[in-house]
Every structure is written in C-alpha cells, then in structure tokens.
Amino acid sequence: MKATILWLLPLLGCLTFLTHDLFAQQGAQFQPRNNRSAPSKQAAQASEQPISQDLLAIYEQTHAAGDEASLTAIARACAKVIPDNKRNSADRKYASNLFAWALNRRGEVRNEEAATLVEQGQLDQASSLDQQAAKDFETAIQYNDKNWRIHHNLAISLAMKGDYLRAIQEFSTAIDLNADYPNSYFNRAELYFELSQYTQAMDDYTQAIVLNDSDPQYYNSRGHCRFMLEAYDDALVDYVRATELGTDSAV
C-alpha cells in the first residue's frame, strides 16, 4: 500500500495511514483554493428582486473576515434573515448563500488552526477543531448544495475520519459541480488507491494530470498506481517525470 498523508495546507490537519513498506512515505497534498470570495454583488444585482442594503453591508464585511469570530458574526447576521418571512425571497436566498459561505470559511479557519495544533503535538485539541469544522461543512451544504468548494472540504473531513465511501461521493459531487479543478480528481484517486480500486484511481490521476501537468505528486502517485497494476514501464515513465518536476524530492 502506498503510504499516504492527507492534509490540506493551510486548510486541514494531517492524518497518517498505516502502510506497507513497498513505497516510501508520500504526502498527498490537498492544496488550498485561490477563490474564497463570498456571493458577489453581481450575483445580488442579477436577482429578479433587489437585495436589501443590510445584506450588501454584510457582504462587504466578508472582505476583511479572516478569523472565527468575524465569520461567526456574519453567519449569525445571515441566520436572522433566512427564516424572516417579512423578507423577500431574494434576500432569504442571498442570506442562505452568504451563511453557507461563512460556515465553510469558518470550517477552513478551524482546520488551519487544527493543522497548527498538530504541528505543536496538541492532537486532542486539533481533533476537536476538525470535528467542529466538519459540522460547519455539513451545515453549509444544507444551505447551498451547489457550491463545489464546500463538498470538497467535507470530502476531506470525511476522508480524515476514515469514511472513504462518503468522501468519494462528496468528491464526485464536487467534480460534477466543477469539472475543472484537478485536485478533486487527485484526492478521489488517493481514496480509490487506498481501497485498492486501482483502475478507478488511474483514471482520476490521469484526469488530474490532463488539467495540471506540472504537479510532480500527480505523476508520482500515478506511478504507484501503475506499479500496482504491474505496468512497470509506464510506472517508470511517471516516476521519471516526477523527478523532472520535483527535483528537490529525495523520494
């Protein structure tokens, strides 16, 4: 079995799986996304009904919201709007999306803090934060199930808890919603590999490479997969390419 460390830097702590000595330890990195923006003013303007100014003011707060307290404040403000029948449907929908964004972002912040605690050896505190983050992602999906980032984050949380089948389902949903994000394929491939479903893993590693052919870990992991399928010449091709892209990797 390929040794795997699942982590999301800076979004998640890490989990090391028990492994066989066949492969040296590999880090399967779930990279952060570049776009963490909240539902935009453009989305509000596209609504058939005008969005109230208080909600647009809440949106402006998202630009500076970077800690748990400020994100919680945004979520609470939105939570008051969502059930308010005196509000128009556009307000309630926009508040739901903004609420989901705040919870998802808060989950990411909690995972960042958990990663720091793991590095400091405070594993119990890190585990508690990761559990809180998972709840944030679960709740966020209830209010906006069309956001692929939330499904991706939840999938990682599920994988860290060992619930690979549900994690694969969430990665698949993330892919259905956004087929152009290579790490969704790579992350799902890692889980297929852990389940010894090498053909499925191979397909996903290959698709990740199609979308991003400059990540050495993609080639390294696909090389492991090809090794397990006894396609040794092809595995060597991937390993060579991985060394070309990751010249600083002793592995």
Side-chain angles (χ1 to χ4, degrees):
M1 241 181 131
K2 176 167 66 70
T4 305
I5 298 178
L6 295 181
W7 71 69
L8 176 59
L9 290 176
L11 303 184
L12 281 179
C14 60
L15 171 67
T16 304
F17 293 99
L18 296 177
T19 62
H20 190 278
D21 291 334
L22 176 61
F23 296 115
Q25 186 169 335
Q26 302 296 311
Q29 183 168 346
F30 294 100
Q31 300 173 356
R33 291 160 299 281
N34 294 326
N35 184 357
R36 293 176 175 171
S37 59
S40 66
K41 280 188 176 180
Q42 287 75 18
Q45 292 167 351
S47 170
E48 294 180 358
Q49 295 175 300
I51 303 300
S52 299
Q53 288 300 312
D54 62 333
L55 281 173
L56 296 179
I58 294 172
Y59 166 76
E60 292 298 330
Q61 297 174 23
T62 67
H63 298 305
D67 58 26
E68 185 172 332
S70 60
L71 292 164
T72 298
I74 291 173
R76 286 175 176 169
C78 293
K80 294 178 181 178
V81 176
I82 295 170
D84 188 351
N85 291 326
K86 296 179 181 180
R87 296 276 193 158
N88 63 45
S89 60
D91 270 1
R92 295 197 300 272
K93 181 177 180 180
Y94 189 75
S96 292
N97 290 338
L98 198 54
F99 178 71
W101 174 86
L103 289 186
N104 180 61
R105 185 69 191 99
R106 188 175 69 178
E108 292 177 348
V109 168
R110 285 172 167 171
N111 283 148
E112 292 171 9
E113 295 173 357
T116 300
L117 291 172
V118 168
E119 293 175 357
Q120 297 171 352
Q122 301 180 50
L123 301 183
D124 289 341
Q125 297 92 322
S127 177
S128 177
L129 276 176
D130 277 334
Q131 291 175 17
Q132 293 176 49
K135 290 180 181 178
D136 279 345
F137 301 140
E138 292 266 17
T139 304
I141 285 177
Q142 295 175 24
Y143 288 86
N144 185 358
D145 63 355
K146 303 303 182 184
N147 187 316
W148 68 270
R149 295 180 181 86
I150 303 175
H151 287 283
H152 188 269
N153 282 344
L154 176 59
I156 295 172
S157 292
L158 292 169
M160 292 180 67
K161 292 191 295 185
D163 193 346
Y164 292 172
L165 296 181
R166 279 192 65 203
I168 287 172
Q169 291 177 351
E170 291 297 329
F171 280 132
S172 297
T173 300
I175 289 169
D176 289 341
L177 294 169
N178 179 10
D180 297 325
Y181 184 58
N183 278 316
S184 292
Y185 295 96
F186 175 77
N187 298 341
R188 188 173 67 176
E190 292 287 272
L191 298 183
Y192 279 138
F193 190 103
E194 291 297 324
L195 294 171
S196 301
Q197 298 178 21
Y198 301 122
T199 301
Q200 294 94 322
M202 168 77 79
D203 290 343
D204 275 353
Y205 287 133
T206 298
Q207 184 58 33
I209 290 170
V210 168
L211 293 170
N212 177 11
D213 62 0
S214 62
D215 192 318
Q217 183 60 43
Y218 291 0
Y219 290 95
N220 196 50
S221 291
R222 191 174 70 172
H224 294 335
C225 195
R226 285 175 161 173
F227 184 98
M228 298 303 293
L229 291 170
E230 299 183 1
Y232 302 125
D233 289 339
D234 290 337
L236 281 173
V237 171
D238 276 344
Y239 289 140
V240 168
R241 184 57 181 152
T243 64
E244 292 170 348
L245 293 170
T247 57
D248 59 343
S249 173
V251 173

